[in-house]
């Protein structure tokens, strides 16, 4: 089945202003995407006729703009593209096969978000991995604050998928910028709109000399930060994050700027050295104003040998840098203590997530209990919905049962939790009251432990997601599961999403209400929606029932897995146990639009929609059949297998009665013409005229058609008509 996600058009804009020789690599990566609805636009001067084969195969649209600024090229490409979502590629980047699908699904699951953020890694020219980049924090509160703080998610543009309407609303790219134009655009968008982080590795960035030098990145990034000062007035959280972002910028790009200046001077590249020198002056002025303790390692770095040489000088610089940052860390710890003292009552028990010892966080009589993070991640990592999150939830619940009243998450645990255990963070947000949050810590008031934890299951499946492509088998498997839960005496709720009704919304319920989460039927893909579902109930016992786990060596997130099929196991599908009642199969055979048919057809559709039945459309025309029937035998065979036929066609009535099928016949002509006359001739009583039609009479007739007496009456009419036709046959042959 084709889902709405698969039909969304994504525009891939490739900018090749630098390093055009690797452009083909970026464009070819798009051809391998699982999501097939895309268009490729290449902007720049380097798309030549030599790549005509690739252009034709991928329907690439070259946009050879004669401009100096990358921002102008991208703005014009944005005006030309037609996709609802847009992703930007540099020539030295490439998408991984799951990139577009993961981004589209994530934005569909989070309609409030303007940007979907994934992970990326850097590779060398030979394709070997340099290091997998730490993803931006999976932001659930304020993504703009994260950008100010220095979490530059746009370091590789291919890791972001934008809503096109968000790009247009933000005014698109600032054409006066170059190296940080994606950072600037993302900051302007996220100031007013959230981002969603799906955590999938979706892009590779090939490190080469085409990347902008550190001086250009430092200068343009600093300009972007300064342009947002006007938004920070009166907001202490944003102001603190802004200062942290400037320090982050100084530490990460400042020393690189000095190294580039030294290299340019050694190579006697005076023009580039002048640009680097101006960046150094701006850097020193900013550092002196915002982070004066950072001047010492900078001076040492400027006078000593290059930091790229792992010499004793490099190690001294690293130690000196660490000492210079100690003052900032001490300030952060002081503010964390002040937040705890003002928000946590005296003598309360505080769980510190991150393993800080009680001596480090003296809180004036408040008892501090560390909840260590180390050792929670299994080999190979954890995507946040497995043992790491459930282990933390279990330990926190046990501490809560022992009297813990508050949980404090310091800033040194932010990234670890967001990357490895986002489900634990979601559990805190859903089950506890957050009383404080800033860039130093978050403080939660834990709910009081219950004397007897409730045992209640939540049944979920593809029917729990909007546009989840739930099938009849999914719903029958759901009903079987509910029957088994009734037999086991375990109360339950069913998680549903429109158009299904009669259950609960798993995004809105209190997770603490449930002890078990049961995912029923279908292939378990661990897509963003399924991960979010499991992540909202990390404390629950997870049960997988009637699932297809076909990926060899795939991760099993369930505590109990009773799969339908996997590389090692096969079981019968549980819908074999289904006992759902059968409903009538009703054929409706309608005449083309003519006088009186509009009212008659409207009444028929009200009847068909008024009760549960399986409706089959049957077209008796064979010159242009709308239902795929090719012969009179096929039409009659289909009519003969119906329980009831509703029709405005004469032969729809006659052929159904000939096979003993009760008919509700409606003559749409005023006063009734051939259909009414034929029904009266053969003695069939259920015939209606268009002007005398009521919903009550149709419902009464339909109920009669489902009785054995109606089938017997249909057979009697057919036999009486056949007997009368013997005289017609004799008259016909006599005339010959």
């Amino acid at each position: 089945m084709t889902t709405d996600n698969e039909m969304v058009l994504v525009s891939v804009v490739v900018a090749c202003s630098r390093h055009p020789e690797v452009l083909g690599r970026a464009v070819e990566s798009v051809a391998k995407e699982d999501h097939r609805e895309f268009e490729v636009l290449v902007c720049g001067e380097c798309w030549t006729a030599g790549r005509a084969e690739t252009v034709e195969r991928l329907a690439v649209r070259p946009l050879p703009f004669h401009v100096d600024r990358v921002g102008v090229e991208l703005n014009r490409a944005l005006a030309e593209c037609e996709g609802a979502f847009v992703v930007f590629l540099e020539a030295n980047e490439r998408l991984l096969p799951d990139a577009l699908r993961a981004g589209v699904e994530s934005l569909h699951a989070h309609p409030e978000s303007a940007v979907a953020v994934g992970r990326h890694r850097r590779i060398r020219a030979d394709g070997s991995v340099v290091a997998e980049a730490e993803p931006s924090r999976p932001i659930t509160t304020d993504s703009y604050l994260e950008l100010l703080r220095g979490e530059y998610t746009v370091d590789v543009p291919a890791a972001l998928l934008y809503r096109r309407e968000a790009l247009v609303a933000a005014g698109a790219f600032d054409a006066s910028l170059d190296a940080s134009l994606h950072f600037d655009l993302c900051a302007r968008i996220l100031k007013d709109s959230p981002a969603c982080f799906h955590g999938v590795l979706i892009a590779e960035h090939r490190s080469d000399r085409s990347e902008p030098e550190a001086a250009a990145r430092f200068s343009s990034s600093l300009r972007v930060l300064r342009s947002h000062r006007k938004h920070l007035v009166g907001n202490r959280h944003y102001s603190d994050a802004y200062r942290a972002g400037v320090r982050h910028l100084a530490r990460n790009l400042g020393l690189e700027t000095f190294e580039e200046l030294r290299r340019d001077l050694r190579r006697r590249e005076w023009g580039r050295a002048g640009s680097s020198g101006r960046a150094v002056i701006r850097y020193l002025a900013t550092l002196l104003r915002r982070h004066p303790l950072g001047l010492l390692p900078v001076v040492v770095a400027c006078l000593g040998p290059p930091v790229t040489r792992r010499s004793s000088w490099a190690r001294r610089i690293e130690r000196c840098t660490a000492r210079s940052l100690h003052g900032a860390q001490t300030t952060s710890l002081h503010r964390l203590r002040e937040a705890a003292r003002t928000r946590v009552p005296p003598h309360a028990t505080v769980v510190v997530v991150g393993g800080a010892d009680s001596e480090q966080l003296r809180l004036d009589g408040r008892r501090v209990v560390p909840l260590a993070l180390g050792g929670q991640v299994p080999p190979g990592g954890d995507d946040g919905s497995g043992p790491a999150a459930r282990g933390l939830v279990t330990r926190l619940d046990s501490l809560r049962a022992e009297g813990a009243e508050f949980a404090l998450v310091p800033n040194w645990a932010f990234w670890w939790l967001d990357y490895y255990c986002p489900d634990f963070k979601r559990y805190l947000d859903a089950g506890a009251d957050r009383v404080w949050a800033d860039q130093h810590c978050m403080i939660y008031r834990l709910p009081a432990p219950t004397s007897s934890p409730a045992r209640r299951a939540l049944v979920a499946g593809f029917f729990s997601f909007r546009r989840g492509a739930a099938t009849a088998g999914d719903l029958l498997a759901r009903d079987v599961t509910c029957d088994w839960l009734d037999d086991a005496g375990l109360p339950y709720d069913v998680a549903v999403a429109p158009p299904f009704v009669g259950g609960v919304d798993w995004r809105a319920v209190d997770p603490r209400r449930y002890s078990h989460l049961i995912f029923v039927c279908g292939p378990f893909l661990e897509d963003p929606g399924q991960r979010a579902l499991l992540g909202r109930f990390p404390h629950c016992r997870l049960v997988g029932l009637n699932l297809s786990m076909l990926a060899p060596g795939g991760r099993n997130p369930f505590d109990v897995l009773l799969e339908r099929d996997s590389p090692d196991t096969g079981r019968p599908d549980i819908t074999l146990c289904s006992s759902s009642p059968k409903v009538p199969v009703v054929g409706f055979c309608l005449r083309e639009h003519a006088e009186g048919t509009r009212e008659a057809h409207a009444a028929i559709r009200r009847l068909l929609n008024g009760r549960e039945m399986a409706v089959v459309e049957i077209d008796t025309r064979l010159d242009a059949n709308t239902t795929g029937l090719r012969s009179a035998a096929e039409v009659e065979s289909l009519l003969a297998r119906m329980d009831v036929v509703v029709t405005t066609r004469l032969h729809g009535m006659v052929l159904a009665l000939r096979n003993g099928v009760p008919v509700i016949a409606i003559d749409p002509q005023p006063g009734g013409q051939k259909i009414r006359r034929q029904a009266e001739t053969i003695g069939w009583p259920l015939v209606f005229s268009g002007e005398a039609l009521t919903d009550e009479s149709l419902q009464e007739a339909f109920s009669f058609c489902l009785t054995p007496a109606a089938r017997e009456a249909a057979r009697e009419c057919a036999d009486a008509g056949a007997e009368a036709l013997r005289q017609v046959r004799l008259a016909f042959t006599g005339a010959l």
Side-chain angles (χ1 to χ4, degrees):
M1 177 182 291
T2 301
T3 65
D4 290 348
N5 289 359
E6 295 170 349
M7 299 301 294
V8 173
L9 178 64
V10 179
S11 296
V12 182
V13 178
V14 186
C16 54
S17 57
R18 293 183 294 267
H19 228 64
E21 61 271 17
V22 295
L23 173 65
R25 171 180 173 275
V27 176
E28 289 287 348
S29 72
V30 185
K32 301 176 182 178
E33 286 297 312
D34 294 336
H35 183 89
R36 303 307 303 168
E37 292 295 320
F38 62 81
E39 62 171 355
V40 182
L41 297 87
V42 176
C43 55
E45 284 296 321
C46 55
W47 192 259
T48 63
R51 298 186 179 90
E53 180 181 348
T54 305
V55 171
E56 182 177 355
R57 181 163 54 86
L58 293 183
V60 173
R61 282 198 282 161
L63 304 172
F65 299 127
H66 300 273
V67 294
D68 298 328
R69 289 284 182 181
V70 178
V72 177
E73 295 179 355
L74 294 179
N75 283 338
R76 295 186 181 178
L78 183 60
E80 292 280 343
C81 71
E82 300 175 355
F85 301 148
V86 183
V87 61
F88 297 97
L89 277 175
E90 300 289 347
N92 55 345
E93 296 169 1
R94 72 174 179 181
L95 296 175
L96 298 179
D98 209 27
L100 298 186
R101 185 186 66 82
V104 169
E105 289 180 352
S106 184
L107 284 177
H108 268 298
H110 300 275
E112 75 284 356
S113 297
V115 183
V117 184
R119 296 166 57 198
H120 68 274
R121 65 187 173 201
R122 293 184 177 273
I123 61 174
R124 300 182 180 88
D126 59 3
S128 59
V129 177
V130 176
E132 187 169 316
E134 295 180 357
S136 66
R137 299 170 182 167
I139 303 161
T140 57
T141 53
D142 193 337
S143 49
Y144 181 58
L145 184 117
E146 296 295 322
L147 281 179
L148 292 178
R149 184 180 287 144
E151 291 289 330
Y152 298 128
T153 60
V154 289
D155 149 273
V156 172
L160 294 92
L161 182 69
Y162 296 88
R163 290 190 192 274
R164 186 172 184 273
E165 58 189 28
L167 293 171
V168 174
F173 295 95
D174 183 350
S176 64
L177 291 173
D178 189 1
S180 296
L181 76 170
H182 286 282
F183 170 39
D184 172 66
L185 175 64
C186 205
R188 282 187 280 119
I189 291 177
L190 296 184
K191 185 176 71 67
D192 302 311
S193 305
C196 52
F197 178 85
H198 55 70
V200 178
L201 182 63
I202 61 175
E204 289 182 339
H205 180 89
R206 193 173 87 166
S207 301
D208 52 41
R209 292 184 180 178
S210 70
E211 298 179 19
E213 53 279 334
R217 283 187 290 153
F218 173 76
S219 177
S220 57
S221 297
L222 187 59
R223 177 179 168 185
V224 171
L225 281 177
R226 283 177 173 170
S227 70
H228 286 261
R229 282 182 179 175
K230 58 181 178 293
H231 306 308
L232 314 181
V233 177
N235 190 316
R236 186 170 63 83
H237 302 318
Y238 281 175
S239 300
D240 291 345
Y242 170 80
R243 287 189 288 270
V246 173
R247 289 195 299 269
H248 178 279
L249 186 64
R251 290 196 298 271
N252 287 276
L253 294 180
L255 292 180
E256 292 183 33
T257 305
F258 275 98
E259 285 300 308
E260 287 187 352
L261 175 59
R262 291 159 55 87
R263 184 180 63 246
D264 295 339
L265 290 174
R266 286 197 304 270
R267 295 175 179 175
R268 298 183 180 180
E269 297 177 353
W270 308 119
R272 295 186 57 175
S275 175
S276 298
R278 288 191 296 272
V280 165
I281 294 173
R282 290 194 297 270
Y283 168 59
L284 288 174
T286 301
L287 200 61
L288 180 62
R289 184 171 62 255
R290 299 292 183 188
H291 188 39
L293 291 176
L295 278 177
L296 180 59
V298 169
V299 173
V300 175
C302 189
L303 298 177
V307 296
T308 53
R309 302 175 187 172
R310 300 298 297 172
S311 62
S312 60
W313 272 96
R315 289 191 292 273
R316 290 178 191 175
I317 292 171
E318 291 172 359
R319 287 196 298 270
C320 193
T321 303
R323 285 195 298 270
S324 71
L325 297 178
H326 178 70
Q329 294 170 353
T330 303
T331 302
S332 175
L333 185 59
H334 170 72
R335 293 184 177 178
L336 185 150
R337 288 171 177 164
E338 287 300 316
R341 285 169 181 162
T342 57
R343 299 291 170 174
V344 178
H347 310 297
T349 300
V350 183
V351 177
V352 179
V353 181
D357 55 50
S358 56
E359 183 64 26
Q360 185 182 19
L361 280 178
R362 295 187 299 272
L363 299 179
D364 296 339
R366 298 165 181 82
R367 181 186 173 215
V368 176
V369 180
L371 179 60
L373 300 177
Q376 291 293 321
V377 181
D382 187 358
D383 68 354
S385 59
R390 293 203 297 277
L392 284 175
V393 168
T394 301
R395 293 170 60 201
L396 181 63
D397 285 344
S398 65
L399 291 173
R400 185 164 58 93
E402 295 171 5
E405 303 166 75
F406 290 83
L408 185 149
V409 184
N411 55 4
W412 56 77
F414 283 173
W415 180 85
W416 199 98
L417 286 176
D418 285 340
Y419 184 26
Y420 289 114
C421 291
D423 296 344
F424 177 71
K425 172 67 164 46
R426 284 192 285 266
Y427 174 72
L428 282 175
D429 287 334
D433 297 327
R434 185 161 59 181
V435 298
W436 179 257
D438 63 6
Q439 72 271 29
H440 303 291
C441 69
M442 290 182 291
I443 302 175
Y444 296 86
R445 185 190 302 275
L446 300 175
T450 56
S451 56
S452 56
R455 281 175 49 82
R456 191 175 189 87
L458 181 65
V459 180
F462 284 89
F463 45 83
S464 305
F465 304 96
R466 187 183 293 270
R467 302 187 184 92
T471 66
D474 295 325
L475 301 184
L476 292 173
R478 174 202 64 188
D479 295 340
V480 171
T481 303
C482 293
D483 290 341
W484 291 357
L485 289 172
D486 287 332
D487 294 340
L490 181 63
Y492 61 87
D493 290 325
V494 178
V496 298
F500 306 112
V501 296
V504 300
D505 183 355
W506 61 268
R507 295 179 175 86
V509 297
D510 183 356
R512 295 171 294 177
R513 176 178 169 84
Y514 302 99
S515 58
H516 296 72
L517 175 65
I518 305 171
F519 195 92
V520 182
C521 198
F524 191 77
L525 308 173
E526 285 207 272
D527 57 24
Q530 292 174 351
R531 282 197 297 269
L533 171 67
L534 299 188
R536 185 164 169 75
F537 304 88
H539 62 291
C540 287
R541 184 172 177 81
L542 302 181
V543 181
L545 179 62
N546 205 52
L547 302 177
S548 293
M549 311 286 286
L550 299 179
R555 192 181 71 85
N556 173 21
F558 297 101
D559 299 307
V560 178
L561 176 61
L562 300 172
E563 70 268 40
R564 176 178 54 197
D565 43 74
S566 68
D568 303 321
T569 306
R571 293 185 176 90
D573 191 283
I574 67 173
T575 56
L576 290 171
C577 298
S578 173
S579 58
S580 61
K582 304 301 183 292
V583 299
V585 181
V586 180
F588 72 101
C589 180
L590 305 183
R591 182 182 175 184
E592 303 92 336
H593 179 66
E595 184 181 3
T597 57
R598 184 185 303 276
E599 294 78 8
H601 292 174
I604 290 175
R605 294 191 183 279
R606 289 196 300 273
L607 170 67
L608 300 181
N609 294 331
R611 61 172 72 187
E612 191 172 10
M613 63 183 75
V615 179
V616 179
E617 182 179 0
I618 305 172
D619 186 4
T620 60
R621 284 189 58 179
L622 293 176
D623 58 341
N625 195 277
T626 61
T627 57
L629 300 174
R630 299 164 295 178
S631 67
E634 292 179 1
V635 172
E636 185 172 3
S637 298
L638 191 56
L639 286 167
R641 284 163 174 77
M642 298 296 106
D643 295 321
V644 180
V645 170
V646 184
T647 183
T648 54
R649 278 194 173 276
L650 185 144
H651 285 112
M653 176 186 70
V654 171
L655 294 178
L657 292 174
R658 164 181 147 84
N659 290 276
V661 178
V663 179
I664 298 176
I666 301 174
D667 194 327
Q669 298 297 327
Q673 294 185 6
K674 61 180 181 179
I675 297 177
R676 172 174 286 279
R677 186 64 179 269
Q678 181 64 208
E680 293 172 347
T681 300
I682 61 178
W684 180 247
L686 300 182
V687 60
F688 300 89
S689 297
E691 70 273 9
L693 200 59
T694 64
D695 293 344
E696 292 76 12
S697 61
L698 287 180
Q699 290 287 352
E700 184 179 351
F702 187 86
S703 299
F704 173 72
C705 286
L706 296 177
T707 65
R711 284 199 164 266
E712 182 63 28
R715 285 190 292 268
E716 290 177 357
C717 287
D719 293 342
E723 182 65 29
L725 288 175
R726 290 192 180 95
Q727 302 301 323
V728 177
R729 177 181 178 181
L730 290 175
F732 174 72
T733 56
L736 297 178

